[in-house]
Amino acid sequence: AIGDAQQSPKQCLSTEVTHPAGKCADFSERDACLAHQQDGAPCCYRGEGFGEGLKCLRQGDSQISWDTQPDMCAKTRGAQWEPFPKCGKLCHNRFAFEPDLTSKGCSDCFVDAAFGECECRVECPQGYKKPLTWESDHKLLTTCDAITGQFEDPGKCTPPDTGDRPCRIEHSDSLIFSDGCFNCKNDGKCNCDVNCADGFKVVGQVSEGPRDCIKEPYVCPPDCNWDKQANICKSKDGVPVESACCNEAKRSEVTQAKWSDAMPTCEPKCPNIFRQEGVRFSTGCDDCVVSDCHCSVECETGFTFFGGPLGTRECVQEKGKDPAFAPLAPVCAQEKPKSFECPVPRGVGLKVDGCRDCVVKDGDESVEPEDCDCAVTCDRGYLPESSTPAVSSSDKKQCNIIAKDLTSVKSCENLPRDACINSQDSN
């Protein structure tokens, strides 16, 4: 972690929200209204308007009444986390796994040099011959690749011509090596087990499991000659070559260490993002990699599909990013039972008794008269028209659900709020 913020449990703190100043009455859009304040008071929005065509007014304005209460006012308080630590990406210290190299300070190097200087010192073990490209008895590395986090290849130290040699372990985030794999020599007596790391899946023909370190004769590079006088190996052009096996006199004695089986190929899995309420996914979604994925999703019974496609999913990986499912999870939710309030009856010649706060819930055919005290008759001097149901002074009325007429549009995208909730996609 970099900076003053500590790596520790964090609290969610209440904070004051500051909005830019503006004249509330100038705003007609909900989002713009709720993002401003006027004279220290938040702007308030009402979709049906406060009167005079105004939908946005300053909190406390005289035009806001009991009958024209705002839908919402700009928030004056919010929440935010305590400061998080700033984490710098470390270089991969692959030299910790190299049997033919020793390293110091390579585990504390950041990919971004702005976080601190890097002094990764690489040396050859005792008895090994240093690479010809080294100007001293060690190699100092100060940077690593900004994308992969890998240090440059410092070259390989040449092991002694005789004796047992360790098998090389190539550092990989995708593999886990058991303790017996380290310093495992080619005497065939090591106890090494290699498996895919958590979050990875083995692919291809090579399986996980035990490995042994065995001896294999060196194969001399083509067109190389041993210069006995200089005691080095040279190419036909006289360029020194780093290879102990060119010593023909010792060729039969020089062997290299080799794993009995190749290392497994492990691909990163796509994290299963479908563990959400209302979403049902197939068992293959827990084991998806880019090269092998069998995953499908749908909404659970009792949940409504609102968006995001259903069906099969692919595990994809963009350059420099972790693998992820595409498309993302569908939106499946249980709609809360809706309730609707019947408006108070109004009309010329009507006599209304009660009929206030009459509410019906979605799914109910009606609210029974005893649950809703509402009687509507013709006032004195009026009679019901012949086309209307007969009305008597004792008639009780029920509050019924009716289908709402929506405007058909070619696309719901980018519609204003009020138009959106009163429209339907004709496609």
Side-chain angles (χ1 to χ4, degrees), residues 125-295:
Q126 187 175 0
Y128 282 61
K129 183 180 178 182
K130 71 180 180 68
L132 298 175
T133 56
W134 290 11
E135 296 180 356
S136 63
D137 61 352
H138 67 277
K139 178 78 170 181
L140 187 63
L141 305 174
T142 58
T143 60
C144 64
D145 187 270
I147 298 177
T148 65
Q150 298 287 351
F151 288 103
E152 66 173 283
D153 187 357
K156 291 179 172 57
C157 300
T158 305
D161 292 336
T162 59
D164 294 329
R165 297 180 181 177
C167 276
R168 186 183 303 276
I169 296 178
E170 296 291 343
H171 171 67
S172 172
D173 291 333
S174 64
L175 294 175
I176 292 180
F177 296 89
S178 65
D179 292 341
C181 301
F182 299 93
N183 295 319
C184 189
K185 295 186 177 181
N186 59 353
D187 55 6
K189 298 179 181 179
C190 66
N191 183 20
C192 173
D193 208 48
V194 183
N195 294 280
C196 291
D198 289 341
F200 288 80
K201 174 185 176 181
V202 64
V203 296
Q205 302 298 318
V206 181
S207 60
E208 303 168 279
R211 298 290 189 277
D212 205 350
C213 185
I214 60 177
K215 293 181 179 180
E216 183 179 70
Y218 270 114
V219 178
C220 289
D223 303 327
C224 286
N225 299 302
W226 180 253
D227 189 331
K228 294 183 179 180
Q229 185 175 359
N231 199 36
I232 57 174
C233 185
K234 293 182 179 180
S235 67
K236 282 189 174 182
D237 298 330
V239 178
V241 178
E242 296 178 34
S243 177
C245 72
C246 285
N247 186 345
E248 296 181 5
K250 296 182 178 180
R251 182 181 298 176
S252 61
E253 301 175 17
V254 177
T255 59
Q256 64 179 352
K258 177 186 177 182
W259 292 108
S260 57
D261 292 292
M263 294 298 160
T265 299
C266 302
E267 288 188 15
K269 296 180 183 180
C270 268
N272 188 348
I273 59 173
F274 307 122
R275 284 190 171 83
Q276 302 178 18
E277 184 181 13
V279 178
R280 180 190 298 137
F281 56 87
S282 62
T283 56
C285 300
D286 282 324
D287 213 29
C288 269
V289 294
V290 173
S291 64
D292 183 25
C293 183
H294 304 280
C295 173

Side-chain angles (χ1 to χ4, degrees), residues 21-35:
K23 187 177 180 181
C24 300
D26 291 341
F27 303 106
S28 59
E29 294 294 331
R30 175 179 178 274
D31 292 344
C33 176
L34 299 179

Side-chain angles (χ1 to χ4, degrees), residues 401-422:
I401 284 183
I402 59 173
K404 184 177 181 179
D405 292 329
L406 300 177
T407 303
S408 294
V409 295
K410 291 184 178 180
S411 173
C412 295
E413 294 183 9
N414 300 322
L415 288 178
R417 175 182 178 274
D418 292 343
C420 178
I421 61 177
N422 287 288

